[in-house]
Amino acid sequence: MADQIPLRPVRSAASRKRAAYYSAAGRGPGAERPSRSLLEDEYARLDEMPLMMSEEGCENDEGDYHTLPRAGAARRRRRPERALCGGWQSLCSSCCEWLINVCQRKRELSARTVWLGRPEKCEEKHPRNIIKNQKYNVFTFIPGVLYEQFKFFLNLYFLVVSCSQFVPALKIGYLYTYWAPLGFVLAVTITREAIDEFRRFQRDKEVNSQLYSKLTVRGKVQVKSSDIQVGDLIVVEKNQRIPSDMVFLRTSEKAGSCFIRTDQLDGETDWKLRVAASCTQRLPALGDLFSISAYVHAQKPQLDIHSFEGTFTRDDSDPPVHESLSIENTLWASTVVASGTVIGVVIYTGKETRSVLNTSNPNNKVGLLDLELNQLTKALFVALVALSVVMVTLQGFVGPWYRNLFRFLLLFSYIIPISLRVNLDMGKAAYGWMVMRDESIPGTVVRTSTIPEELGRLVYLLTDKTGTLTRNEMVFKRLHLGTVSYGTDTMDEIQGHVRASCPQLPPPAGRNSASSTPPRKAQPSAPKVRKSVSSRVHEAVKAIALCHNVTPVYESRASVAAETEYAEADRDFSDENRTYQASSPDEVSQPPMEHLTVSPCFLGLRGMSVALVQWTESVGLTLVSRDLASVQLRTPSGQVLTYSLLQTFPFTSESKRMGVIVRCGNMAREGLRTLVVAKRALTEEQYQDFESRYTQAKLSVHDRTLKVAAVVESLEREMQLLCVTGVEDRLQADVRPTLEMLRNAGIKIWMLTGDKLETATCIAKSSHLVSRTQDTHVFRPVSSRGEAHLELNAFRRKQDCALVISGDSLEVCLRYYEHELMELACQCPAVVCCRCSPTQKARIVTLLQTHTRRRTCAIGDGGNDVSMIQAADCGIGIEGKEGKAASLAADFSITQFAHLGRLLMVHGRRSYKRSAALGQFVMHRGLLISTMQAVFSSVFYFASVPLYQGFLMVGYATVYTMFPVFSLVLDQDVKPEVAMLYPELYKDLTKGRSLSFKTFLVWVLISIYQGGVLMYGALVLFESEFVHVVAISFTALILTELLMVALTIRTWHWLMVVAEFLSLGCYVASLAFLNEYFDVAFITSAAFAWKVSAVTLLSCLPLYVVKYLKRKLSPPSYSKLMS
């Protein structure tokens, strides 16, 4: 794989510089120092890999990489013409950047101090709290829409030709023959854009005008969302959208916490638990918020929606009270309160909120076929100019030759038919309708009707994991106790062990006791006794039931108001009334781990939390209540046990806690997510010491995450292993055969996920994205340029292996070795990128488009996939459990991943093949009549006189030939069953052979031949009057077009037959009304009939013979399968 990459020789002096640079870069504080011999061995091979930087760049600091020249990529892209205009482009880009900076006046974001209820004390001016999704305003709408249309050469050409007809000396036909098609296209486009823009305006206005309660010294007042300022205290009711980014201060819930729905922010439908600041939650009344002097110090606005660092300070007490703030104390804009009433202080507004910062403006996507047709249009324009110049030259440049030149340009303007855009747009709308009517893929929605052909040109598929390849449904599959293993068929044995062990537990101190935990006094040492299997099973199940982040939620009873407080023992704990809510295990930083101190104290990881809790309920131990201070479990006998919850600390995969996070080889090979559960007994003194250090670490402003992780890690000593669990993340239906089909079709699949490396690799193997026999290269974590270089060298020595890389390592490699990494990765059979942020996903898509020039497709189901979907050439969203954010932002929406196969293999093939045939046939129709015009002008002394005028030209492009030509959208080369059975046929589509300069030249030669035969034949066979030439040639022209459509069709449809006879009938019927163009007596004579038949037969018969011989001697691959 790597041997195919061209290597560029580097001088030895540069090698010494690089070796010195890497030696310095790799010796950071705390970094492991490899042996001197190993370093020398690696540095000796540095030149084996081409570097992206120049020799001068290697001497610069790492932080200056943005300004360093990328020599390798520049050499590949440099062209002589770019060198000539490089200075002009640089000057223009500099001016544009200066104007943009002056107009926008972007200020640098910084941390801020926000005083509670006192917005006037803000030192800086913050943006208004408005949401604006409109693309245009009143003044830019018309210019913007027209620019989007006329930036393509095809439409611009039509505009110039139409405007020329206002000049009397250049007028060669009726105005409506030029302006009617162009006006129709513009009217449809402007109307569509106006409707979309008005809908966006209405949505923005509705959101910005929502009323919220604002707390003031005088009480509550109603304010619009757009009038909210930083520092305001806002009250948000249940099921109400949060208007801006806030810090959670108070809630009506007794526990001091609430749930929020974040599906419109990150696409996840699981509720998130948020905790109010304890200092303000303890205040007796709402009005006391104005009686204290407090402020929030918040970090600068950032993209990351899963992290936050801040502090809450109350400075009117002695000593001042400081409280650390994290993500669990925040309420981000665009989320919805799911329980209780919340009060928060606004810290970010408008374009500084997390939701707006993570929103990217969607690009106007243009299909590859449209770009190819645009290039062919330019080639036709060159031919048009050349033909006009030849005619003027043969004319001898007599008289006002420049006017004659322009008239010839207009006479031959049908070389570029104005109906091309109309036919293609109508065809695309028809393709979209067919996709949505396909009963084999129900629920499919086409949201972007301009790029259906892209489905047939895809080379790279970038897919999300959770909810896309998997169902996002966790099912408990196995429990391993070291000496015994329980599977799905032996879960009843676990239930029996739990029932047998529960009566041995001591009862709680009282019915309403806050805790059933015995004193945490150190127990005297006693000889270890081997526990029974029932006891071990019960301890394992109890640990799983306690160590999680799940909260049972109960529907409010009709007879009890939401604000009523009642005793814990009187709650309705019925199974029918309870649902479990927890943060999604994927796409967040990582599932949190909870430290529950009881006697003994359990230390565990909340992996697939809901699945584990549901499993413990199925075996007899049910979670009935959980808040910030306690967890309640119900035993099989109905007894409710209450445990005190003293601390909760987050888990990050970077810490790699070997005592807890252990991979179980056997179950991991089965594709299960493994989790090790352990416990440790703590004395009172040990816990107090831990609590003091943990609280101090949480108050740190700098390196808080590292300090907290260090304190937690100190607790992970001398732990006792309880069990190992295996949870299966179920795959979507038919994921494996669909992925195999896509690979056989030549599509390279990359999986981009926010999940951890181990889980992503496990799903990649279980879904057969990476075959079990295929080698996998796990890219080691790198943090510097030197480490990245050495790891890339190690990777390039691998042959035919899948790449697994994390987002952090990817970022470092792209910083210094973007081209090399992409070139190596593109040769891999599969790539798995884990720990990817939404912006990284979009960047990977953009890099693939830039480096490969191939068409990309992105598919996902969550809000974190929206950026990737919008950046891809073709975005596909799945409407699943993570909401509709991805589905609404995508070009195509499907209900399950398995539908992707038919969408690409069948509808992608049809759309591309049909549009290619339709576009080329419309151009053939224009070339044919332009050839006849050229022959006519050359015969009659190069006169710039039109051959056909008025309704003949309009009818030729519409009622006479439109229906048969447009019926090509019903044609198909292979049946859907064959396309699905032989996905290898898809490979030919990516090569673009259906529409290329070769096929275009074939159609040009056909047009020249047929045009010459029709015109010369009519001139030879006409008798006395010129009107006979028009009658013979035009009738033969119509018949030729109808026969050519029949020649092009590969599979007949009954509507095609109707279209052929309908057009022929329209032409025959119109002959009676076109007396100014036809001699009725002549066209009803036998001479007219045989002359037209002879000319038509001579123009079409040779082509039928050639087509027959080609199918016999060199049939296409699909024809063999059809036979």
Side-chain angles (χ1 to χ4, degrees), residues 137-158:
N137 56 36
V138 177
F139 302 102
T140 61
F141 175 73
I142 295 297
V145 174
L146 293 179
Y147 169 75
E148 290 295 330
Q149 288 298 306
F150 294 120
K151 69 179 181 181
F152 293 102
F153 179 80
L154 184 66
N155 294 344
L156 182 62
Y157 170 78
F158 294 156

Side-chain angles (χ1 to χ4, degrees), residues 72-311:
R75 276 194 292 268
R76 288 176 172 84
R77 294 191 294 263
R78 189 175 294 125
R79 298 289 187 270
E81 60 270 17
R82 293 188 179 182
L84 294 176
C85 60
W88 174 252
Q89 290 180 347
S90 176
L91 178 62
C92 292
S93 61
S94 301
C95 294
C96 292
E97 290 178 2
W98 178 81
L99 288 174
I100 291 174
N101 292 332
V102 169
C103 295
Q104 294 183 347
R105 295 184 180 274
K106 290 185 178 180
R107 62 185 183 87
E108 193 167 338
L109 302 177
S110 60
R112 62 192 61 185
T113 299
V114 180
W115 292 84
L116 269 62
R118 295 174 175 85
E120 66 278 358
K121 297 186 69 173
C122 292
E123 300 176 356
E124 300 179 4
K125 184 178 180 181
H126 301 291
R128 291 187 62 199
N129 191 50
I130 58 174
I131 293 179
K132 186 176 181 181
N133 293 312
Q134 295 172 250
K135 296 169 60 177
Y136 311 101
N137 56 36
V138 177
F139 302 102
T140 61
F141 175 73
I142 295 297
V145 174
L146 293 179
Y147 169 75
E148 290 295 330
Q149 288 298 306
F150 294 120
K151 69 179 181 181
F152 293 102
F153 179 80
L154 184 66
N155 294 344
L156 182 62
Y157 170 78
F158 294 156
L159 177 65
V160 174
V161 170
S162 300
C163 291
S164 67
Q165 295 306 290
F166 289 110
V167 181
L170 302 177
K171 186 176 181 181
I172 60 174
Y174 298 104
L175 285 176
Y176 69 86
T177 60
Y178 293 91
W179 281 100
L182 182 61
F184 173 76
V185 174
L186 291 179
V188 171
T189 303
I190 293 176
T191 302
R192 184 177 64 239
E193 285 292 333
I195 293 174
D196 293 342
E197 190 71 5
F198 182 70
R199 289 175 179 172
R200 285 190 288 265
F201 168 75
Q202 284 186 316
R203 289 195 296 265
D204 293 346
K205 184 179 179 181
E206 180 182 356
V207 172
N208 294 327
S209 301
Q210 288 182 349
L211 296 178
Y212 291 88
S213 297
K214 173 183 173 181
L215 289 181
T216 63
V217 179
R218 299 182 300 274
K220 294 183 180 180
V221 296
Q222 295 291 317
V223 295
K224 292 182 179 181
S225 174
S226 57
D227 296 332
I228 293 176
Q229 304 177 35
V230 172
D232 286 344
L233 299 180
I234 303 299
V235 181
V236 185
E237 305 291 341
K238 181 180 179 180
N239 294 326
Q240 194 174 17
R241 185 188 72 90
I242 296 175
S244 58
D245 289 355
M246 303 191 299
V247 167
F248 190 9
L249 299 180
R250 285 180 64 88
T251 177
S252 60
E253 297 290 303
K254 178 183 177 182
S257 62
C258 75
F259 278 105
I260 61 172
R261 298 196 298 267
T262 62
D263 55 324
Q264 297 303 316
L265 180 63
D266 57 14
E268 298 177 4
T269 55
D270 296 310
W271 293 3
K272 305 297 189 300
L273 183 69
R274 292 294 182 260
V275 182
S278 58
C279 185
T280 51
Q281 179 67 24
R282 290 194 300 263
L283 294 176
L286 279 179
D288 295 334
L289 289 172
F290 293 94
S291 63
I292 64 174
S293 177
Y295 62 88
V296 171
H297 180 76
Q299 62 182 168
K300 68 178 182 179
Q302 294 183 352
L303 288 170
D304 191 0
I305 61 176
H306 301 301
S307 67
F308 175 75
E309 291 185 4
T311 55

Side-chain angles (χ1 to χ4, degrees), residues 643-660:
Y643 299 89
S644 297
L645 180 58
L646 302 181
Q647 292 288 347
T648 302
F649 49 88
F651 170 85
T652 58
S653 61
E654 289 77 9
S655 59
K656 296 294 182 184
R657 296 174 174 86
M658 299 306 296
V660 176

Side-chain angles (χ1 to χ4, degrees), residues 35 86 264 285 312 401 437 467 512 635 745 816 847 986 1073 1111:
S35 64
Q264 297 303 316
F312 178 90
W401 63 268
R437 295 272 296 179
N512 295 325
T635 65
Y816 303 113
L847 288 173
Y986 190 87
F1073 305 98
R1111 285 186 175 181

Side-chain angles (χ1 to χ4, degrees), residues 942-1100:
F942 307 103
S944 56
V945 178
L947 173 60
Y948 306 121
Q949 297 185 14
F951 184 78
L952 290 184
M953 294 303 301
V954 176
Y956 174 70
T958 55
V959 293
Y960 295 159
T961 60
M962 180 181 68
F963 300 116
V965 172
F966 188 71
S967 69
L968 291 174
V969 302
L970 300 174
D971 191 21
Q972 62 179 25
D973 56 346
V974 297
K975 295 181 180 179
E977 298 79 12
V978 176
M980 296 288 288
L981 186 61
Y982 299 99
E984 292 80 6
L985 294 172
Y986 190 87
K987 295 180 181 179
D988 291 335
L989 304 180
T990 60
K991 299 175 182 177
R993 293 175 177 174
S994 297
L995 178 63
S996 62
F997 273 100
K998 179 181 178 181
T999 59
F1000 170 70
L1001 289 176
V1002 170
W1003 278 103
V1004 169
L1005 294 177
I1006 292 174
S1007 302
I1008 294 175
Y1009 167 76
Q1010 290 185 326
V1013 169
L1014 291 175
M1015 196 66 246
Y1016 278 115
L1019 291 173
V1020 170
L1021 296 178
F1022 90 102
E1023 296 179 356
S1024 57
E1025 299 183 11
F1026 174 75
V1027 70
H1028 295 170
V1029 176
V1030 174
I1032 296 174
S1033 63
F1034 192 79
T1035 304
L1037 174 64
I1038 299 299
L1039 294 177
T1040 298
E1041 281 296 298
L1042 298 181
L1043 291 175
M1044 285 300 296
V1045 170
L1047 178 65
T1048 306
I1049 291 175
R1050 286 161 293 211
T1051 304
W1052 281 91
H1053 190 278
W1054 65 270
L1055 285 176
M1056 296 177 174
V1057 180
V1058 172
E1060 289 273 343
F1061 284 102
L1062 179 62
S1063 295
L1064 183 61
C1066 290
Y1067 176 69
V1068 173
S1070 65
L1071 292 178
F1073 305 98
L1074 301 177
N1075 298 327
E1076 58 179 316
Y1077 303 109
F1078 301 110
D1079 182 1
V1080 179
F1082 176 71
I1083 62 176
T1084 56
S1085 64
F1088 172 77
W1090 78 261
K1091 291 179 180 179
V1092 169
S1093 301
V1095 173
T1096 305
L1097 189 64
L1098 185 60
S1099 67
C1100 295

Side-chain angles (χ1 to χ4, degrees), residues 763-775:
I763 295 299
K765 291 184 177 180
S766 64
S767 65
H768 294 176
L769 175 64
V770 178
S771 63
R772 299 184 184 276
T773 59
Q774 195 172 59
D775 187 19

